[in-house]
Amino acid sequence: MKIKILVVLSIALLGLFAFKSIESKKIIVIDAGHGGHDFGAKIYDFKEKTIVEAISKKVKELNKDKNVDIVLLREGDHFMELSERVSIINNIKPDLVVSLHVSSVLSDWQKDQVDAYVSSKNEKFKQESIDSAEKLLSNVSNESLKKGKVKEAPFYIMKNSDCPSVLLELGYLTNEKNRDYITSENGQNEIAGKILESVK
């Protein structure tokens, strides 16, 4: 009888620990901007939608931490409405959303930097978003991507996500140094690794 009780207690405890480990798992959503007919920035044959999708997939592939779950909002080249993205995010209830983009400025081909944006409209998570944005900027910037600033903008996803959220602009396709880095396999692997390091 005592053995049976011990077995039952052991199973109950194992179940409790399993439940706790699932509950304590950190969930990070990586949102690859644009998709489908929406190319985003485009210079020569390089398209923003393709670059950020590749980097987002690498973030997931590089993650070996069982306590961190990387969820890709867009897997594949298809268009998603902003409202659809926010609906999925708010159903998942993640610890952080990182929305990936790249820029282009035809009037200034020398412009070189990585910037992060948060929304002042999302007051509940503003400070957490700023803290995450600062960490991402510090880690991702290097000699190929000059460190920019954390800025405020009323972007739809940042404003309407019920969690901390950061939009990360990973350099400029119009800048040759940025472009070579963010379109290369090594550059994308480095960026993905730094994003993962920042959000864990």
Side-chain angles (χ1 to χ4, degrees), residues 21 51 139 152:
S21 67
I51 295 165
N139 285 349
E152 290 191 9

Side-chain angles (χ1 to χ4, degrees), residues 21-22 24-26 63-70 200:
S21 67
I22 291 168
S24 63
K25 200 170 191 181
K26 195 171 187 181
N63 181 42
K64 307 301 178 189
D65 190 334
K66 292 180 180 178
N67 294 315
V68 177
D69 192 9
I70 302 294
K200 284 168 68 173

Side-chain angles (χ1 to χ4, degrees), residues 172-190:
Y172 289 80
L173 282 175
T174 37
N175 180 285
E176 186 178 0
K177 182 175 63 174
N178 287 180
R179 182 173 65 249
D180 288 347
Y181 183 63
I182 63 180
T183 59
S184 70
E185 188 76 16
N186 285 341
Q188 291 179 358
N189 281 329
E190 280 188 17

Side-chain angles (χ1 to χ4, degrees), residues 43-198:
I43 296 294
Y44 308 128
D45 290 328
F46 300 113
K47 297 171 185 173
E48 178 180 0
K49 65 171 187 175
T50 308
I51 295 165
V52 294
E53 182 188 344
I55 294 171
S56 68
K57 286 179 176 176
K58 289 177 186 295
V59 175
K60 188 175 179 71
E61 288 166 7
L62 289 171
N63 181 42
K64 307 301 178 189
D65 190 334
K66 292 180 180 178
N67 294 315
V68 177
D69 192 9
I70 302 294
V71 178
L72 303 184
L73 202 55
R74 175 170 73 81
E75 293 193 73
D77 183 17
H78 57 272
F79 178 74
M80 293 179 72
E81 295 283 357
L82 294 178
S83 57
E84 181 186 356
R85 295 176 193 247
V86 168
S87 178
I88 295 168
I89 289 166
N90 290 339
N91 280 328
I92 294 171
K93 296 180 171 58
D95 295 276
L96 176 67
V97 173
V98 181
S99 189
L100 302 182
H101 292 262
V102 296
S103 295
S104 65
V105 183
L106 294 174
S107 60
D108 183 3
W109 287 63
Q110 298 304 310
K111 195 169 179 62
D112 157 29
Q113 64 192 57
V114 51
D115 288 312
Y117 293 87
V118 300
S119 175
S120 59
K121 302 290 184 183
N122 194 340
E123 292 183 8
K124 183 178 178 183
F125 299 105
K126 183 180 176 182
Q127 192 55 53
E128 286 179 77
S129 298
I130 291 171
D131 293 344
S132 294
E134 290 283 7
K135 194 172 183 182
L136 282 159
L137 275 185
S138 294
N139 285 349
V140 171
S141 59
N142 56 26
E143 65 277 2
S144 298
L145 286 174
K146 181 182 173 184
K147 183 179 178 182
K149 297 179 180 179
V150 176
K151 304 175 182 180
E152 290 191 9
F155 293 134
Y156 188 90
I157 290 177
M158 311 298 101
K159 185 171 62 175
N160 293 288
S161 294
D162 192 23
C163 63
S165 55
V166 178
L167 186 145
L168 199 60
E169 289 275 10
L170 296 165
Y172 289 80
L173 282 175
T174 37
N175 180 285
E176 186 178 0
K177 182 175 63 174
N178 287 180
R179 182 173 65 249
D180 288 347
Y181 183 63
I182 63 180
T183 59
S184 70
E185 188 76 16
N186 285 341
Q188 291 179 358
N189 281 329
E190 280 188 17
I191 293 169
K194 292 297 185 182
I195 290 171
L196 183 60
E197 181 184 321
S198 302

